[in-house]
Amino acid sequence: FKLNVFNVFVSTTCLFVMLRRSSTCAASIRPFHTVLGIETSCDDTAVSIVTSDRRILASRRVNDRATLASLGGICPGLVAKQHRAFLPSLIEECLHSVRLRAADLSAVAVSTRPGLVIALKEGVSAAIDLCRLHRIPLVPVHHMRAHALVSSLCHPHLQYPFVALLVSGGHSLVALVRSADHFELIVDSVTGSAGECLDKVGRELDLDCSVDHPGAALEKAAARAPIGSHLSMEIPGVASSKDASFDFASLKSSLLGQLRKRKQLGEEIDVEKLAAAAQHHTARHLCSRLHSSLQFLTLEGSIREGTSLVMAGGVASNNYLRCCVEKVCSLHGLRLLRLPPSLCTDNGEMIAWTGLRMIEERSLSIIPWEEIPSSLYVHAREEIGRNRTGEVPSKTKMMIKASSIHADSNPLVVHSTEDYRFRVF
């Protein structure tokens, strides 16, 4: 009898140990998800399927640059019509190419803010219909957060918190990213954006925009300019302003004013030189404000040496601006993470991947299929997170000498606002 009791005790103990080990292993295995992302915030109709192991299974994108260029810019009604016409076929192509049914998806993620309202509505409508028909969850995604979070798709070791510099045709801001749902807005733009500034100057220079956005055409023209061309046009007072916020509208007005004045005076317009100068002034303005925000975050202890900075958004594909930003990152001991150009512009991958991150981090924004409404509100503007722009001082202890901000091998020159002594980094 004693022997039987002993055997039962040993068997029970072994079974308990085995169950505990199996439950521990199961807890350590991350669930596998497949998400379809839909992006229609502006003129790109984009759909992509991404998995939680960072595989892009399918990706489709449609735009009509030539027509929009002939109309002089984005036409919201025409863009919405494009989304409505192409979304069903793009979704079907993505699913068919990887032999998936819509019911096999873990969720559908869709951009709901910010963007062109009439364009966002088309993407949201398609996502709602798909989710309700096949009984899968819906993940509403903040477009600008997606630009920041897609960096972890390319850089698996990216850790929170990190700094996001988001520069596009509609936004220019610096944010501190603590999680997929927790963003803090550090520096915003008072008016205008870096992308809009470059686009307007590109159009004023009559660059060929049939293939590229005007900003991309301006970058190509600037790359053909002789060395030193970035100093061919001086804009007093804008780039040297000590306010912590971006003000690209004022910079744009000054640049366009200079160009139009030269045309009125009958001066010869050297397109390449003026493109290089406009690009340089945009970089100066961008980097001076970025420096202020990084100094503020360092002093409060939110970032430290080795923290990552992600430069994302359509303008992040500009190599000149990226090199200038890298100089500022080196000054603060940060690591600049680069994204491939295909993930800098609007794309479906960033929406799908953000949806995955929100699922993994159990975001409260995810809508179960039983609770999906017949329509969702979309917003033209919505802040990326808690607004802390008022906390950033307008005057920093160390200021960068504007003329040293250039995409070359020369170091940055910084001077103290307390003793006015110059230092080279």
Side-chain angles (χ1 to χ4, degrees), residues 320-354:
Y320 180 90
L321 296 183
R322 199 164 50 196
C323 290
C324 293
V325 168
E326 192 165 18
K327 276 188 172 185
V328 179
C329 288
S330 299
L331 172 65
H332 291 271
L334 303 186
R335 185 168 59 109
L336 177 64
L337 299 184
R338 299 189 174 212
L339 298 177
S342 61
L343 295 183
C344 289
T345 54
D346 292 348
N347 58 86
E349 291 90 331
M350 71 179 190
I351 304 299
W353 179 250
T354 300

Side-chain angles (χ1 to χ4, degrees), residues 153-384:
L153 174 62
C154 309
H155 302 278
H157 302 296
L158 176 63
Q159 295 181 342
Y160 299 121
F162 63 88
V163 180
L165 171 62
L166 305 181
V167 278
S168 67
H171 303 84
S172 294
L173 59 90
V174 178
L176 182 66
V177 185
R178 298 191 183 275
S179 74
D181 275 333
H182 187 179
F183 281 63
E184 295 176 8
L185 180 62
I186 306 303
V187 171
D188 199 1
S189 180
V190 178
T191 50
S193 66
E196 181 197 12
C197 178
L198 294 173
D199 284 350
K200 294 290 186 182
V201 174
R203 289 194 182 96
E204 187 67 26
L205 290 172
D206 295 323
L207 298 173
D208 180 13
C209 305
S210 59
V211 178
D212 300 306
H213 277 298
L218 183 140
E219 181 188 6
K220 291 180 179 179
R224 299 191 295 267
I227 296 175
S229 298
H230 63 286
L231 301 175
S232 61
M233 182 167 57
E234 187 58 41
I235 307 295
V238 178
S240 59
S241 173
K242 296 180 181 180
D243 194 307
S245 299
F246 294 118
D247 187 5
F248 284 104
S250 296
L251 177 61
K252 176 190 69 177
S253 297
S254 298
L255 290 169
L256 292 177
Q258 288 268 15
L259 290 174
R260 289 164 183 166
K261 184 178 179 180
R262 294 190 180 197
K263 288 181 178 180
Q264 289 174 357
L265 294 175
E267 296 182 12
E268 182 181 355
I269 302 297
D270 190 321
V271 173
E272 284 78 13
K273 282 187 176 182
L274 294 177
Q279 186 175 242
H280 170 64
H281 282 290
T282 303
R284 282 173 55 173
H285 189 62
L286 186 73
C287 290
S288 62
R289 302 310 187 268
L290 175 63
H291 168 66
S292 300
S293 62
L294 295 180
Q295 196 166 62
F296 166 73
L297 290 172
T298 301
L299 290 174
E300 74 165 14
S302 293
I303 61 173
R304 58 186 178 181
E305 188 172 346
T307 298
S308 298
L309 184 142
V310 174
M311 185 179 180
V315 182
S317 59
N318 185 300
N319 190 60
Y320 180 90
L321 296 183
R322 199 164 50 196
C323 290
C324 293
V325 168
E326 192 165 18
K327 276 188 172 185
V328 179
C329 288
S330 299
L331 172 65
H332 291 271
L334 303 186
R335 185 168 59 109
L336 177 64
L337 299 184
R338 299 189 174 212
L339 298 177
S342 61
L343 295 183
C344 289
T345 54
D346 292 348
N347 58 86
E349 291 90 331
M350 71 179 190
I351 304 299
W353 179 250
T354 300
L356 279 165
R357 295 303 299 264
M358 292 172 71
I359 291 172
E360 292 174 356
E361 297 178 24
R362 299 184 178 182
S363 170
L364 298 177
S365 301
I366 300 171
I367 307 174
W369 75 266
E370 304 94 336
E371 301 174 13
I372 297 174
S374 58
S375 62
L376 282 177
Y377 282 110
V378 296
H379 303 278
R381 299 192 67 84
E382 183 176 297
E383 289 185 347
I384 197 169

Side-chain angles (χ1 to χ4, degrees), residues 34-36 48-51 55-58 94-95 98 100 105:
T34 304
V35 173
L36 182 142
S48 183
I49 300 176
V50 180
T51 63
R55 286 186 300 145
I56 300 173
L57 300 183
C94 284
L95 290 170
V98 293
L100 281 178
L105 298 170

